[in-house]
Amino acid sequence: MGHNINEYKLIAENFKASKATKEGREIFFERNIIVTEEELLLRQKLNHEQQMAYNVIIDRISSNRPGAFFVDGPGGTGKTFLYRALLATVRSKGFIALATATSGVAASILPGGRTAHSRFKISIDIDENFSCNISKQSSLACLIRDAKLIVWDEVSTAKKKMIETFDLLLKDLLNTNVLFGGKVVVFGGDFRQTLLVVRNGKREDFIHESLLYSDIWPRLEKLQLSENMRAKTDPAFCESLMRIGNGKEPLTSENKIEIPKSLLSLILLNGNL
């Protein structure tokens, strides 16, 4: 985003940019994201499941119809690849597409990605009475209203209250009671992996605070990705991962998962390289 005038230490007093100035820089950045030729070609490399999801989402955007989707897929099935293809297509047509994620790491691999906390002004410590601090007259509100697509990755690690607050924000900005203000919103994540953090919580607390226990969950259209693109040359390993993730892998007498000897040998071999 450029350098800060205070870095040059020209005068003793520090200058702080106003909220409007900061928002102005954010909007300029979003409206001037350059889509590379490589990103435009991503849609041609989608597998069958990714292509089906891509078509459904792009059709909603093209026809100006609402769409609230959840892309479900274990790690390695190409969720991020699908997001990048969608973002590139929408942005190449001159429209706004906001790329967000619950974590900074996930946001960093999306072109123009920001954390959802940062983009939608959501507090880290969110409670039942929380609301996003975005004025309807602000330039940021205008940017969100103009967005044709909003992507939120790793939503499986977000508390359900975050998603519900985001829903209320869009309804308020768009003056409607339609889910997510009638925007095309694409959530993604994998509930087979680590869930959100609840201080001093137990397993049931993590699950209860997740999106799965929100009234919004049944209203999302589910799009499934199952082909593991990272390990597609090893179907036995892919099947093992799915059994573990779905809770179907047999347990030992100590209530633990036993790693196959073939996989142990491979791990030991790689560790010695």
Side-chain angles (χ1 to χ4, degrees), residues 6-48:
N6 299 309
E7 296 176 25
Y8 298 97
K9 299 180 180 179
L10 299 177
I11 59 175
E13 182 181 1
N14 282 351
F15 283 93
K16 291 185 179 180
S18 67
K19 182 178 179 180
T21 301
K22 291 179 180 178
E23 285 187 2
R25 287 203 300 263
E26 292 176 7
I27 291 165
F28 177 82
F29 174 76
E30 286 290 347
R31 294 187 182 277
N32 290 275
I33 293 177
I34 297 173
V35 180
T36 66
E37 189 67 28
E38 180 184 0
E39 289 169 339
L40 282 174
L41 293 174
L42 292 178
R43 60 173 297 186
Q44 300 177 18
K45 302 176 182 179
L46 300 172
N47 62 29
H48 179 66

Side-chain angles (χ1 to χ4, degrees), residues 8-9 14-15 42 49 58 82 124 137-139 147 167 171 189 191 195 205 215 220 232 239 251-252 259 261 265-266:
Y8 298 97
K9 299 180 180 179
N14 282 351
F15 283 93
L42 292 178
E49 291 176 330
I58 290 297
L82 171 62
I124 298 297
Q137 289 73 41
S138 67
S139 52
D167 175 43
K171 287 177 178 177
F191 289 101
L195 298 180
D205 298 319
D215 293 337
L220 299 178
K232 61 181 179 180
E239 291 173 8
L251 301 177
T252 67
I259 301 176
K261 291 182 179 179
S265 300
L266 183 61

Side-chain angles (χ1 to χ4, degrees), residues 163-184:
I163 315 303
E164 292 165 354
T165 301
F166 174 57
D167 175 43
L168 294 175
L169 169 69
L170 293 184
K171 287 177 178 177
D172 181 48
L173 295 182
L174 277 299
N175 295 312
T176 178
N177 286 322
V178 178
L179 184 65
F180 297 113
K183 289 289 182 186
V184 176

Side-chain angles (χ1 to χ4, degrees), residues 115-228:
T115 64
H117 291 87
S118 171
R119 169 54 66 215
F120 305 117
K121 309 306 177 189
I122 302 173
S123 172
I124 298 297
D125 296 318
I126 189 168
D127 57 35
E128 294 300 317
N129 300 315
F130 180 80
S131 60
C132 297
N133 186 25
I134 299 178
S135 167
K136 294 180 73 170
Q137 289 73 41
S138 67
S139 52
L140 178 54
C142 200
L143 176 72
I144 296 172
R145 280 194 291 264
D146 287 346
K148 285 285 187 179
L149 169 68
I150 299 175
V151 173
W152 186 332
D153 192 19
E154 299 293 357
V155 77
S156 52
T157 62
K159 290 185 177 181
K160 64 182 180 182
K161 183 59 182 175
M162 283 181 62
I163 315 303
E164 292 165 354
T165 301
F166 174 57
D167 175 43
L168 294 175
L169 169 69
L170 293 184
K171 287 177 178 177
D172 181 48
L173 295 182
L174 277 299
N175 295 312
T176 178
N177 286 322
V178 178
L179 184 65
F180 297 113
K183 289 289 182 186
V184 176
V185 180
V186 178
F187 296 107
D190 182 11
F191 289 101
R192 303 168 190 84
Q193 299 180 14
T194 303
L195 298 180
L196 54 126
V197 175
V198 177
R199 287 191 182 98
N200 302 316
K202 299 179 181 179
R203 179 179 178 180
E204 54 268 27
D205 298 319
F206 306 148
I207 298 173
H208 187 266
E209 288 296 320
S210 73
L211 178 60
L212 294 172
Y213 274 73
S214 170
D215 293 337
I216 289 174
W217 175 250
R219 303 171 66 186
L220 299 178
E221 298 179 52
K222 314 304 189 297
L223 302 172
Q224 182 72 46
L225 301 181
S226 60
E227 183 180 357
N228 195 315

Side-chain angles (χ1 to χ4, degrees), residues 35-135:
V35 180
T36 66
E37 189 67 28
E38 180 184 0
E39 289 169 339
L40 282 174
L41 293 174
L42 292 178
R43 60 173 297 186
Q44 300 177 18
K45 302 176 182 179
L46 300 172
N47 62 29
H48 179 66
E49 291 176 330
Q50 292 168 334
Q51 188 67 59
M52 288 182 63
Y54 174 92
N55 291 342
V56 170
I57 296 166
I58 290 297
D59 178 65
R60 294 295 177 87
I61 296 172
S62 301
S63 59
N64 289 315
R65 289 184 294 149
F69 302 93
F70 177 78
V71 180
D72 178 33
T77 52
K79 296 187 294 296
T80 301
F81 197 90
L82 171 62
Y83 306 148
R84 290 175 59 203
L86 290 166
L87 292 167
T89 298
V90 174
R91 288 168 174 167
S92 68
K93 298 179 184 299
F95 298 124
I96 298 295
L98 301 179
T100 70
T102 306
S103 72
V105 173
S108 68
I109 60 177
L110 293 174
R114 296 276 296 273
T115 64
H117 291 87
S118 171
R119 169 54 66 215
F120 305 117
K121 309 306 177 189
I122 302 173
S123 172
I124 298 297
D125 296 318
I126 189 168
D127 57 35
E128 294 300 317
N129 300 315
F130 180 80
S131 60
C132 297
N133 186 25
I134 299 178
S135 167

